[in-house]
């Protein structure tokens, strides 16, 4: 799950994010390593030129202009990492629930005796806890009409 920023994001962090997004966008356009590196150096030079601007209004406007330029130049089919949301392997393998182990054959369970012994103890503890939290209603409870 992605982290949701809960507080204010600093200007420096926004600039770093814009730089990283721009680099990822360059990766989409320039598949050959030497072409990508050349463009990445030029991009870094553009960021370094505006590094020492002290006026917050000018810096904010440059950031907004950079975000707009990135939006205008976004690749039509960006590359996605396989395990990322939208990638071909994202959530491909579902985790089996623990209850599947109850249906193992006794011969299979015999291969892991310590694990299944501990698992049976934990199941008994969970059952006791469940009965403590959710007691059975008594049978002598009067019916309401």
């Amino acid at each position: 799950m992605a982290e949701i920023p809960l507080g204010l994001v600093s200007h420096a962090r926004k600039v770093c994010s814009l730089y990283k997004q721009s680099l990822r966008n360059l990766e989409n356009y320039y598949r050959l390593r030497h072409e990508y590196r050349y463009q990445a150096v030029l991009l870094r030079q553009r960021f370094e030129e505006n590094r020492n601007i002290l006026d917050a209004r000018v810096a904010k406007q440059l950031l907004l202009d950079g975000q707009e330029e990135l939006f205008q130049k976004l690749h039509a089919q960006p590359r996605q990492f396989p395990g990322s949301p939208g990638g071909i392997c994202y959530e491909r393998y579902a985790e089996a629930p623990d209850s599947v182990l109850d249906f193992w054959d006794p011969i299979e369970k015999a291969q892991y005796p310590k694990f299944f012994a501990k698992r049976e103890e934990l199941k008994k503890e969970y059952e006791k806890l469940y009965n403590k939290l959710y007691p059975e209603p008594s049978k002598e409870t009067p019916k309401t009409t």
Side-chain angles (χ1 to χ4, degrees):
M1 177 176 234
E3 289 187 17
I4 300 171
L6 300 176
L8 296 174
V9 181
S10 69
H11 177 76
R13 192 159 176 190
K14 289 178 186 177
V15 171
C16 288
S17 176
L18 175 64
Y19 178 69
K20 185 173 181 179
Q21 290 172 3
S22 300
L23 283 177
R24 290 288 182 206
N25 195 41
L26 285 177
E27 283 180 354
N28 294 324
Y29 278 106
Y30 302 100
R31 300 294 176 149
L32 297 176
R33 180 78 176 157
H34 64 280
E35 292 176 351
Y36 163 71
R37 286 304 308 150
Y38 177 73
Q39 295 298 327
V41 168
L42 294 178
L43 177 68
R44 181 63 186 212
Q45 180 184 2
R46 289 180 64 190
F47 274 81
E48 288 293 331
E49 288 172 359
N50 300 317
R51 182 178 195 155
N52 297 322
I53 294 180
L54 299 177
D55 189 3
R57 291 176 296 166
V58 174
K60 180 160 177 98
Q61 187 59 43
L62 285 171
L63 177 66
L64 293 174
D65 292 343
Q67 290 172 340
E68 178 64 27
E69 182 181 346
L70 175 64
F71 178 74
Q72 296 296 329
K73 293 183 177 182
L74 280 177
H75 196 272
Q77 293 179 332
R79 186 186 324 182
Q80 294 176 331
F81 293 105
S84 299
I88 61 171
C89 294
Y90 181 66
E91 293 184 347
R92 177 179 279 187
Y93 301 107
E95 293 287 329
D98 186 58
S99 61
V100 171
L101 296 175
D102 292 331
F103 299 104
W104 276 30
D105 191 72
I107 295 173
E108 293 173 324
K109 289 182 179 181
Q111 294 176 352
Y112 307 99
K114 290 181 183 177
F115 173 79
F116 281 100
K118 184 69 173 174
R119 188 170 180 277
E120 290 300 322
E121 291 176 19
L122 289 174
K123 282 172 56 177
K124 289 177 185 174
E125 288 180 23
Y126 288 140
E127 188 175 345
K128 287 179 187 175
L129 179 63
Y130 181 84
N131 290 334
K132 182 180 175 185
L133 292 174
Y134 306 105
E136 297 254 348
S138 63
K139 295 181 180 179
E140 299 176 4
T141 309
K143 294 183 180 180
T144 57
T145 56

